[in-house]
Amino acid sequence: MSLNIVPFVSVDHMMQIVLQTGVETFLRELAAFIEVDFRRWERFDKTPRVAAHSAEGVIELMPTSDGETYSFKYVNGHPGNARDGRQTVTAFGVLADVATGYPLLMSEMTILTALRTAATSALTAKVLAPRGADTVAIIGNGAQSEFQALAFHALMGIRKFRLYDVDPSATRRCIANLTGHGLDCRACPSAEDAVLGAQIITTVTADKRYATILSDNMVAEGVHINAVGGDCPGKTELAREILLRSEIFVEYPPQTRIEGEIQQLAEDHAVTEFWQVLTGRAAGRTSDRQITIFDSVGFAIEDFSALRYLSERVAATGLFQPLDMVADPDEPRDLYGMLLRAAAAGLDRAG
């Protein structure tokens, strides 16, 4: 491929890749890439995401590099968008070669972020949830909910789901979308009802505020919680009392202490980085009665993994659009000459 051409994966191409691969196969393979990169966590550059907050939401940049490949994601979170028929979260990303600085891939990441978030949830639950877990409560049945359910089924074989949303139509839509996947999905009248009998609880709500989606009396001993929805300052889902009686696992503490559930706790409150559990440097679940929480805010290395996996799928499927993105003059120092040659070739339509 010419140096000026960068493969671009559009929304249409992303959907084709996912459907050709199979959603659950895509989630399993993506989770494997995420696990590989968690296991080599120390090789990556790490920084909290760069965020621009407003009253309406947040716009963020999420960069990282393993020294050979660089990635960043642009992502927003605007809970009010749903009122206008817009997505709460949209994203796109870039994968680049560290040695040259040239982009290797550009992609939509609205769909890809939903997939990597779900894959990460199921990966962490597979490690931290109690043995024999067979039921998941999903509280918040928006755009992420079906991906979460399919990821738990793909990675853990879980078929039973208890669903609740403040908007009953969201739950009905989620159940309808999951029809045909062999799942037992039950609509629940309240969050309290949804958690009954569930060994894994996933909270994935969108409101940008301090909220108590789970109160202390709703959480029994031995459960695992994926707290996914709290992902920016001033936005939480769990009562502080739950955190104080749980073992908390995080991606990158400097970011999670700003954005996650643990923003409610003292800055020195002990947490465990999930990569340390995967590599055997720290314990995960240590008893059947222990409450474990994965305080998930989403970290750039997960996006890196997703783009790295997507790059392989693109190479295998050829589903991309060639984007003329990088200026590539015959003589690298003669960029203006490139303009002159374009004018001579009749590209100066304004003239």
Side-chain angles (χ1 to χ4, degrees):
M1 190 176 294
S2 301
L3 291 176
N4 62 305
I5 298 298
V6 178
F8 170 63
V9 180
S10 66
V11 171
D12 183 63
H13 281 137
M14 180 66 74
M15 291 191 293
Q16 290 184 61
I17 291 169
V18 172
L19 292 173
Q20 283 188 16
T21 306
V23 178
E24 293 196 22
T25 298
F26 193 102
L27 285 162
R28 278 192 298 270
E29 293 178 350
L30 175 53
F33 272 66
I34 293 170
E35 180 173 354
V36 165
D37 288 337
F38 265 97
R39 289 181 180 276
R40 61 193 191 106
W41 191 266
E42 292 173 293
R43 289 186 54 182
F44 284 88
D45 294 333
K46 292 173 284 291
T47 183
R49 49 188 156 206
V50 181
H53 293 277
S54 67
E56 295 74 26
V58 63
I59 297 173
E60 299 167 332
L61 295 178
M62 300 174 63
T64 192
S65 170
D66 67 353
E68 297 179 3
T69 308
Y70 169 91
S71 74
F72 81 83
K73 182 174 79 175
Y74 168 102
V75 62
N76 78 296
H78 285 68
N81 277 0
R83 295 191 297 269
D84 304 320
R86 301 173 186 264
Q87 288 286 307
T88 298
V89 175
T90 67
F92 67 87
V94 173
L95 200 65
D97 177 28
V98 168
T100 65
Y102 271 50
L104 302 170
L105 177 75
M106 286 191 66
S107 177
E108 84 80 36
M109 287 193 75
T110 306
I111 296 171
L112 189 58
T113 294
L115 288 158
R116 75 86 161 131
T117 301
T120 303
S121 290
L123 172 63
T124 54
K126 187 176 180 180
V127 174
L128 298 173
R131 291 171 294 180
D134 65 0
T135 303
V136 174
I138 301 179
I139 301 174
N141 303 151
Q144 176 66 211
S145 55
E146 295 94 341
F147 296 97
Q148 290 279 330
L150 292 171
F152 283 115
H153 183 236
L155 272 72
M156 300 180 68
I158 292 176
R159 296 181 179 275
K160 292 189 284 187
F161 296 90
R162 300 177 63 82
L163 308 177
Y164 171 73
D165 195 284
V166 292
D167 178 4
S169 68
T171 303
R172 290 194 296 269
R173 186 215 63 246
C174 180
I175 292 174
N177 286 345
L178 292 172
T179 299
H181 288 277
L183 306 181
D184 175 8
C185 297
R186 180 172 301 182
C188 297
S190 65
E192 290 86 352
D193 187 72
V195 302
L196 293 176
Q199 300 86 24
I200 300 171
I201 304 170
T202 292
T203 56
V204 60
T205 59
D207 281 352
K208 188 184 177 185
R209 61 188 176 91
Y210 289 113
T212 304
I213 306 303
L214 294 182
S215 57
D216 190 34
N217 65 338
M218 292 168 61
V219 178
E221 290 182 340
V223 302
H224 171 70
I225 301 171
N226 280 330
V228 179
D231 57 3
C232 68
K235 182 183 178 190
T236 61
E237 298 179 312
L238 308 186
R240 183 174 183 271
E241 292 75 16
I242 301 172
L243 304 175
L244 294 175
R245 62 189 179 100
S246 304
E247 292 297 321
I248 303 171
F249 301 84
V250 303
E251 293 137 320
Y252 182 57
Q255 179 173 299
T256 311
R257 292 192 190 279
I258 296 170
E259 301 179 351
E261 296 298 325
I262 60 173
Q263 66 186 277
Q264 303 179 67
L265 303 180
E267 290 186 5
D268 60 352
H269 188 91
V271 298
T272 302
E273 296 181 57
F274 182 67
W275 71 269
Q276 295 176 318
V277 178
L278 286 179
T279 56
R281 298 194 186 188
R285 173 174 290 273
T286 56
S287 78
D288 291 338
R289 300 181 63 183
Q290 184 181 47
I291 299 170
T292 55
I293 296 174
F294 179 56
D295 191 358
S296 171
V297 297
F299 191 64
I301 293 173
E302 295 152 22
D303 299 312
F304 178 98
S305 305
L307 288 166
R308 189 168 67 83
Y309 170 62
L310 179 63
S311 183
E312 289 199 7
R313 297 303 303 155
V314 165
T317 63
L319 289 170
F320 66 88
Q321 175 183 341
L323 205 63
D324 186 6
M325 184 177 170
V326 180
D328 184 35
D330 298 333
E331 161 55 54
R333 294 168 296 180
D334 192 19
L335 193 59
Y336 188 75
M338 186 178 178
L339 284 173
L340 295 177
R341 288 188 290 278
L347 296 184
D348 183 11
R349 294 182 178 88

